[in-house]
């Protein structure tokens, strides 16, 4: 079983844990997730497609992410990127570019999301997806990600749209 830490409204760990995806959070309780905006040398973004058998958002496109209890945000994003894509980055190759908080008391699901940006010189052949979690992947331009988002086929798009680069290469 996988657990998440429970945070307070100021994003401080409370010392309590919850079963992952067990949406019975009390008011003022939050969990944390991380997302990784990974760009190649050409400025394309690595996106993955969720498995068809996922209970929530099957076959939707997304950027890699997730957190386990006991991890810091940075530890989680580095681990998730390595596990989900096979790409390994040093901490100094990435940075947290945005954090947002979502309050959804009706769903009993409140959370923080830290969005990291990583830059790398990697080829499509270097990507080794986590096949039990991911249907497939592609390197997409920011414009292609926007088109998927506007078609409601990209998770967290509304929260990510403003951090998408305008197609610039570093």
């Amino acid at each position: 079983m996988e657990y998440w830490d429970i945070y307070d409204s100021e994003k401080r760990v409370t010392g309590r844990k919850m079963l992952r995806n067990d949406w019975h959070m009390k008011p003022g309780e939050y969990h944390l997730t991380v997302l990784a905006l990974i760009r190649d040398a050409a400025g394309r973004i690595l996106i993955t497609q969720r498995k068809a058998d996922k209970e929530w958002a099957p076959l939707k496109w997304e950027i890699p992410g997730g957190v386990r209890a006991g991890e810091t945000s940075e530890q989680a994003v580095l681990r998730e990127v390595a596990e989900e894509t096979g790409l390994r980055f040093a901490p100094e190759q990435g940075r947290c570019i945005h954090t947002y908080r979502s309050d959804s008391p009706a769903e009993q699901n409140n959370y923080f999301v830290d969005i990291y940006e990583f830059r790398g010189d990697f080829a499509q052949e270097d990507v080794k997806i986590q096949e039990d979690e991911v249907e497939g992947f592609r390197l997409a331009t920011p414009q292609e990600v926007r088109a998927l988002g506007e078609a409601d086929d990209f998770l967290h798009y509304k929260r990510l749209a403003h951090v998408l680069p305008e197609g610039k290469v570093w």
Side-chain angles (χ1 to χ4, degrees):
M1 288 190 184
E2 204 168 313
Y3 289 89
W4 284 332
D5 288 313
I6 295 176
Y7 293 76
D8 67 15
S9 62
E10 300 298 316
K11 199 176 160 195
R12 292 182 298 242
V13 178
T14 65
R16 293 173 289 144
K17 299 187 184 338
M18 64 181 276
L19 189 60
R20 181 181 177 186
N21 295 329
D22 182 15
W23 311 127
H24 294 92
M25 302 177 81
K26 296 177 181 134
E29 291 183 339
Y30 296 79
H31 66 87
L32 171 69
T33 196
V34 295
L35 298 174
L37 185 67
I38 303 167
R39 296 190 63 202
D40 70 2
R44 297 173 300 179
I45 300 166
L46 176 61
I47 61 175
T48 58
Q49 188 175 38
R50 295 170 62 84
K51 281 286 204 186
D53 63 358
K54 289 277 189 182
E55 182 179 334
W56 182 74
L59 296 176
K60 295 279 187 176
W61 290 92
E62 63 185 345
I63 57 177
V67 173
R68 292 183 187 150
E71 292 180 316
T72 65
S73 177
E74 183 179 71
Q75 289 168 334
V77 77
L78 292 169
R79 178 192 50 76
E80 280 290 315
V81 167
E83 283 180 5
E84 291 185 18
T85 70
L87 300 173
R88 299 201 180 278
F89 290 98
E92 59 273 8
Q93 290 177 283
R95 63 189 177 96
C96 187
I97 60 172
H98 183 66
T99 297
Y100 69 86
R101 180 175 119 174
S102 178
D103 292 275
S104 184
E107 295 176 351
Q108 295 179 308
N109 181 24
N110 305 319
Y111 55 90
F112 290 98
V113 177
D114 289 342
I115 303 171
Y116 285 79
E117 179 180 59
F118 290 92
R119 306 170 187 182
D121 188 11
F122 60 90
Q124 190 159 328
E125 309 80 60
D126 298 329
V127 178
K128 307 291 184 243
I129 61 168
Q130 189 178 30
E131 292 180 359
D132 59 331
E133 295 286 329
V134 176
E135 194 75 27
F137 77 95
R138 67 191 244 207
L139 293 169
T141 66
Q143 294 78 10
E144 291 169 323
V145 172
R146 283 187 183 88
L148 288 167
E150 288 166 11
D152 196 29
D153 202 23
F154 199 93
L155 291 179
H156 303 283
Y157 176 72
K158 290 179 181 166
R159 301 283 191 150
L160 289 169
H162 76 283
V163 299
L164 289 175
E166 293 299 324
K168 295 175 270 192
V169 178
W170 290 296

